[in-house]
Every structure is written in C-alpha cells, then in structure tokens.
Amino acid sequence: MIIAQGPVLRYASRRWAPKTVFALGISSLAAAFLCYRFHSGALLYTGASLFALGNGLAWPTFQTRVARAAGVRDQGAVQGAITSASSVASILGLLAGAMLYPKLGSGIFVLAAALFVAVGLGTPIWFRSTG
C-alpha cells in the first residue's frame, strides 16, 4: 500500500487524468476480488497485491475529487464525512459479507468484483468535470 500510494500514485497522477487513475484503481480492486475466488496461493498473493494497488490508486484519487468539489471552506467537514462514511461502509460490508458467505461461498468475491465493475462504469459520471 505504501508503494501504491507513494511512487505508483505519483507516477499515475502525473501521466493520466484523475478519472483514469480512479478507473485503474477500481479495475484493480475488481480483479483482486476475482483472484480471491480461487483457492490458489499464487492467486491469493496476486489478489492481495492488486487490492493494495487498487486501494492505493482509487481512494486518494476519490478523496482529492471530493475535496476539490467541496471547495476550500468546506474541505475539512467533507473529508471528515467521507472518512466516517467509509468506516460505516467497511463495517456494513463486512457484516453483509458474513451473512452472505454461507449462501454464496467464494462466489461472494464475484459479487464484490461486480460491484466494483459497476462503480468503474460510473467513473465518467463521478469525474465529469475533472477530465
């Protein structure tokens, strides 16, 4: 994650528009969850690497987008709100996963990947005004 949020994010941000960096991060997260579907050690390590890369690209890019949309005056309040929302989403996601896993088994990871694909498809909408 340190590498993803440091040199990789810096490299990507200098070369591509924020919506492209975000889409790459979301795509990496979707691929990570597909890797988790299988019981192969190599794929689990690949999934963990893709997860770190995806989270390291997508989350800071999303936070930057929200901060710019909020403006200077409201940045602190908005950043606090998205951090709180992220925490609640993490808790609810883990609870939902725990309830669905007995029914879906490792198919839950395919569901998670599909949700990330849906977010990725919305990227042009979320980043409409930032290029």
Side-chain angles (χ1 to χ4, degrees), residues 82-98:
I82 63 169
T83 299
S84 296
S86 171
S87 297
V88 170
S90 293
I91 293 166
L92 294 177
L94 289 170
L95 290 173

Side-chain angles (χ1 to χ4, degrees), residues 73-115:
R73 183 172 164 254
D74 297 320
Q75 278 189 22
V78 170
Q79 290 289 348
I82 63 169
T83 299
S84 296
S86 171
S87 297
V88 170
S90 293
I91 293 166
L92 294 177
L94 289 170
L95 290 173
M99 289 187 292
L100 290 172
Y101 189 80
K103 293 178 185 354
L104 299 176
S106 61
I108 190 121
F109 299 116
V110 176
L111 175 61
L115 291 173

Side-chain angles (χ1 to χ4, degrees), residues 1-128:
M1 190 73 114
I2 292 168
I3 293 168
Q5 285 187 351
V8 174
L9 179 60
R10 186 176 0 190
Y11 174 85
S13 295
R14 289 181 180 163
R15 299 214 171 6
W16 300 302
K19 69 180 173 185
T20 303
V21 176
F22 182 76
L24 287 170
I26 292 298
S27 297
S28 294
L29 287 166
F33 279 95
L34 288 177
C35 287
Y36 296 154
R37 166 80 170 83
F38 302 99
H39 301 282
S40 161
L43 282 176
L44 291 176
Y45 284 114
T46 300
S49 297
L50 287 169
F51 186 85
L53 175 65
N55 206 28
L57 291 176
W59 183 244
T61 305
F62 174 76
Q63 286 181 306
T64 300
R65 172 67 177 114
V66 170
R68 285 185 181 152
V72 175
R73 183 172 164 254
D74 297 320
Q75 278 189 22
V78 170
Q79 290 289 348
I82 63 169
T83 299
S84 296
S86 171
S87 297
V88 170
S90 293
I91 293 166
L92 294 177
L94 289 170
L95 290 173
M99 289 187 292
L100 290 172
Y101 189 80
K103 293 178 185 354
L104 299 176
S106 61
I108 190 121
F109 299 116
V110 176
L111 175 61
L115 291 173
F116 278 110
V117 168
V119 170
L121 292 173
T123 297
I125 296 167
W126 322 134
F127 286 80
R128 192 176 327 189

